[in-house]
Amino acid sequence: MPKVFIKTYGCQMNERDSEQVATMFIDGGYTMTDREHEADVILINTCSVREKAELKALGKMGLLTRRPEAKPHVVYGFMGCMAQSKGDELFRALPRLDLVIGTQKYHHIFRYVDDILRKRLERRMDDLSLSLAGSSVCDTDEETGSQNAIRDHLAQTGHSSAFVSIMQGCEMRCSYCIVPSTRGAERSRPMQDIIDEVESLVRQGIKEVTLLGQIVNRYGKDEPAVDGKSAFVRLLEQLNGIDGLERIRFTSPHPIGFREDLVNAYRYLSKLCSHIHFPMQSGSDRILKLMRRPYKNEKYISLCESMREARPDLAITTDIIVGFPGETEEDYLETKRAVERIGFDNAFIFQYSPRKDTPAAAMDGQLPQSVKEARNQDLLATVNAIAIEKNAALVGTEQLILVEGPSKTNADRLSGRTPQNKPVIIEGGSELIGKIVPVRITESTGFTLYGEIAPC
Ligand code: SAH
Ligand code: SF4
Ligand code: F3S
């Protein structure tokens, strides 16, 4: 049975897409391996959102294709956002590469790979040099309906949580972002397909789903509202009604189209978790405008306040870009003040990275690396101080945690998450995995919480 190794960079959507590709190989009689040296097929699912992400994937493929001990029949492929963005120029950088597959073509990867591998293995006995010639494939075309192909899950025993892709693409064209060109136009899946997928996951023991989309709250944006409720809120309501499903999360929402109906959902949807990852990007209206983000900072803050009013224990995390072209010290300080005012539970801080064919890459006022680095470090200190304070405030409280499995740092302990998405380490046996248990938080070491099972 041929073995496939998939390395995934980038966001949760990429993780989900890799899972879909893995299911297709398993259905085709292959097995998955996490040991690259024993693989017959090596696929790297790539991200282009920042230059660093691209360099990591290119470096990894360079190392893998140049291993002297690699078997000559091994098939190497890039898929995902960098594959979409760079296309066949990747073959010039990496002559041993066989496949470059874009973001609307995942469901064809198995067929392409299997075809190349079979031919190579058949020819191997005759002429090895022949086997490598003329077999490369580059497929980065658009494909209608491709969003509906991300729907199968690996049967993973002991897993309690799953990602569900509900829409693909983005039409916002934020001036710094490559995603609209790598992921294409916004396309939503039919609601019934998503409900069927979640019901099937629940039958397999899944308790928590995270709905994925580049702007997840724009799901079904062309459908008319029903009783003042968007398609996204109606989908949340449907999922909330599924017996056996305990927790619903989604990522990432955008202030555009974030209306009262979604804020209200936090009042009456009991399975909707008390956490939202809500990218702010900047606290300066001047920079938001240059970024082509269609909101002002006050609007963003008022949305956070309304959500907290609807769900008082809501944890809010965010994405922030520092060092955008033309960002002055005062613009940066406005971001820092917004961070302090909102009090995020955590934040990802990114240094602006110029991306191919995006308007911001050609803007005046590109900032030196040293300024980006200094703002990143300064903001990180602020974010961390608030995060640590928020975690410390949880000591002594009781939280329901969904136990995910053995802790990564100590396999004798278990790790789980609160509805606020905070990781908690507890003592306990493997019978607790996949269960939701009440836990008293006993200690916080900054970013990690420790707890013990609360007596009934
Ligand atoms: N669709 C989501 C974000 C997806 S990209 C949204 O709009 O909210 C994930 C994050 O990467 C973004 O939120 C942004 O903070 C960051 N990002 C995107 N392009 C970037 C760039 N060119 N440089 C640095 N960070 C970037
Ligand atoms: Fe990129 Fe903006 Fe679309 Fe998010 S909304 S994926 S940041 S273009
Ligand atoms: Fe990266 Fe593509 Fe996700 S660029 S962040 S992998 S949508």
Side-chain angles (χ1 to χ4, degrees), residues 9-11 13-14 46-49 81 178-179 182-183 214:
Y9 294 97
C11 61
M13 283 220 146
N14 263 17
T46 57
C47 173
S48 271
V49 78
C81 288
I178 200 168
V179 172
T182 64
R183 290 279 175 171
Q214 262 85 20

Side-chain angles (χ1 to χ4, degrees), residues 49-50 174 176-179 214-215 252-254 279 281 293 319-321 350-355:
V49 78
R50 284 168 290 278
C174 299
Y176 50 81
C177 185
I178 200 168
V179 172
Q214 262 85 20
I215 302 189
S252 287
H254 188 295
Q281 312 300 2
R293 298 285 290 188
D319 290 346
I320 293 168
I321 298 176
F350 302 114
Q351 297 178 26
Y352 169 70
S353 169
R355 303 286 62 219

Side-chain angles (χ1 to χ4, degrees), residues 3-19:
K3 294 192 171 117
V4 188
F5 171 85
I6 306 183
K7 171 86 187 158
T8 306
Y9 294 97
C11 61
Q12 290 150 325
M13 283 220 146
N14 263 17
E15 281 179 44
R16 177 71 195 101
D17 297 338
S18 291
E19 184 185 14

Side-chain angles (χ1 to χ4, degrees), residues 258-276:
F258 202 114
R259 303 209 174 80
E260 201 55 30
D261 58 333
L262 184 49
V263 172
N264 269 332
Y266 282 98
R267 291 184 208 279
Y268 68 92
L269 292 183
S270 59
K271 296 180 183 175
L272 193 56
C273 285
S274 292
H275 168 237
I276 187 162

Side-chain angles (χ1 to χ4, degrees), residues 15-40:
E15 281 179 44
R16 177 71 195 101
D17 297 338
S18 291
E19 184 185 14
Q20 177 65 47
V21 172
T23 63
M24 291 175 161
F25 277 97
I26 288 172
D27 289 349
Y30 288 51
T31 54
M32 301 306 296
T33 176
D34 49 15
R35 281 183 269 187
E36 47 204 44
H37 66 268
E38 63 175 36
D40 304 289

Side-chain angles (χ1 to χ4, degrees), residues 51-114:
E51 191 187 11
K52 258 190 201 159
E54 290 188 344
L55 294 177
K56 267 192 207 159
L58 286 168
K60 180 82 185 169
M61 189 60 98
L63 281 176
L64 289 171
T65 51
R66 276 186 230 107
R67 287 170 310 157
E69 77 284 7
K71 291 168 271 181
H73 69 267
V74 173
V75 179
Y76 297 93
F78 270 134
M79 57 185 190
C81 288
M82 184 177 70
Q84 185 72 43
S85 149
K86 292 196 186 286
D88 56 12
E89 75 177 68
L90 289 164
F91 293 120
R92 289 194 284 282
L94 292 153
R96 190 56 187 81
L97 190 64
D98 299 297
L99 291 151
V100 173
I101 307 294
T103 55
Q104 304 198 22
K105 295 290 181 177
Y106 296 119
H107 49 299
H108 300 299
I109 293 181
F110 171 72
R111 190 169 43 82
Y112 287 137
V113 167
D114 192 51

